Amino acid sequence: MSQQRTGSPGNTPGTPDFPDIPEATVARLPEYLRALHSLAEAGHDTASSESLAVAAGVNSAKLRKDLSHLGSNGTRGVGYNVERLIGQIEQVLGLTTLRAVALVGVGNLGHALAGYSGFTTRGFHIAALFDADPSRVGEKINNLVVRHIDELAAVVDTCRIAIGVIATPAHAAQGVADVLVNSGVTSILNFAPCVLSVPEGVDVRKVDLAVELQILSFHEHRKAALTGAVTL
């Protein structure tokens, strides 16, 4: 997953007490949160930095440094209080209340995303579905009726949506991004295989499954080459 960031780093204007957290640390916080929830579900009240690092797939020194940005240093010989750390991370990530999301494009990928029930446990809910295809409008997915994209601005305002997900073909993605931005959406998750042009202050994260597979292909190619070299 890549990020196309247009906002300014550092503290959010008007919130001087908001922690100044490096982007790399922010990218790892969801992994720590996932690991902590798993530990909590397994009945653990505390977790050492080593066990939490293993669960999150990072080294313990990096984890301790990351969590220090939240003001959480754990207790020597005890570790971190799991519930307290979950609360700290959710507070920083803005997950103390469910965030409403608009999904545009209900083809195969969009349909799967709309039907996924796991978002609510991670702090989000799909509040509205949109498509430009008249044959899709009116379709019901996971108790939501697909609306025409022309209704997007009104729904964004009514449902207080700040995050939009684009699951359209590449040729339609920029137009959808424009509509989202003009409707007041300030964060976009883009599944379309293209780079979006957005104004200052709008954050975009891009998920390109083909790119991820190509990176894995590189690693497979390298392993095969190294194996061949050793064999020779």
Side-chain angles (χ1 to χ4, degrees):
M1 179 185 289
S2 62
Q3 183 177 28
Q4 176 183 319
R5 184 176 176 83
T6 57
S8 301
N11 293 347
T12 303
T15 55
D17 294 330
F18 196 86
D20 190 4
I21 304 175
E23 287 293 332
T25 296
V26 173
R28 288 187 288 268
L29 289 181
E31 289 300 325
Y32 300 153
L33 187 59
R34 175 194 56 77
L36 285 162
H37 277 298
S38 294
L39 289 168
E41 289 168 6
H44 295 279
D45 295 323
T46 60
S48 67
S49 58
E50 289 76 15
S51 64
L52 183 53
V54 169
V58 301
N59 66 63
S60 57
K62 182 178 291 184
L63 177 137
R64 286 192 295 269
K65 184 176 180 180
D66 286 341
L67 296 183
S68 70
H69 290 293
L70 280 62
S72 182
N73 298 305
T75 303
R76 184 177 296 276
V78 177
Y80 296 93
N81 180 289
V82 171
E83 287 300 328
R84 184 182 304 126
L85 190 51
I86 286 174
Q88 286 179 303
I89 295 176
E90 288 184 341
Q91 178 68 38
V92 168
L93 292 179
L95 300 177
T96 52
T97 58
L98 282 178
R99 287 193 178 272
V101 176
L103 171 63
V104 184
V106 290
N108 291 335
L109 176 59
H111 200 286
L113 292 171
Y116 177 59
S117 60
F119 288 126
T120 53
T121 62
R122 306 297 286 271
F124 306 90
H125 74 101
I126 305 295
L129 306 174
F130 301 92
D131 206 290
D133 184 351
S135 67
R136 292 282 189 181
V137 175
E139 183 179 347
K140 196 170 185 179
I141 306 173
N142 203 18
N143 294 321
L144 286 175
V145 176
V146 179
R147 304 166 183 258
H148 194 275
I149 195 169
D150 289 347
E151 298 182 51
L152 194 146
V155 176
V156 163
D157 182 59
T158 301
C159 296
R160 303 182 66 181
I161 293 170
I163 300 175
V165 177
I166 298 177
T168 66
H171 67 84
Q174 183 60 58
V176 170
D178 294 341
V179 174
L180 285 168
V181 171
N182 291 335
S183 300
V185 170
T186 51
S187 292
I188 296 173
L189 180 61
N190 179 30
F191 281 92
C194 63
V195 175
L196 300 176
S197 175
V198 295
E200 183 76 18
V202 176
D203 289 293
V204 176
R205 287 193 66 86
K206 181 181 177 184
V207 182
D208 192 325
L209 301 180
V211 167
E212 300 302 324
L213 287 170
Q214 287 168 343
I215 293 171
L216 288 175
S217 176
F218 162 78
H219 290 294
E220 286 299 310
H221 183 54
R222 181 176 63 178
K223 285 184 284 189
L226 291 174
T227 302
V230 170
T231 300
L232 292 175

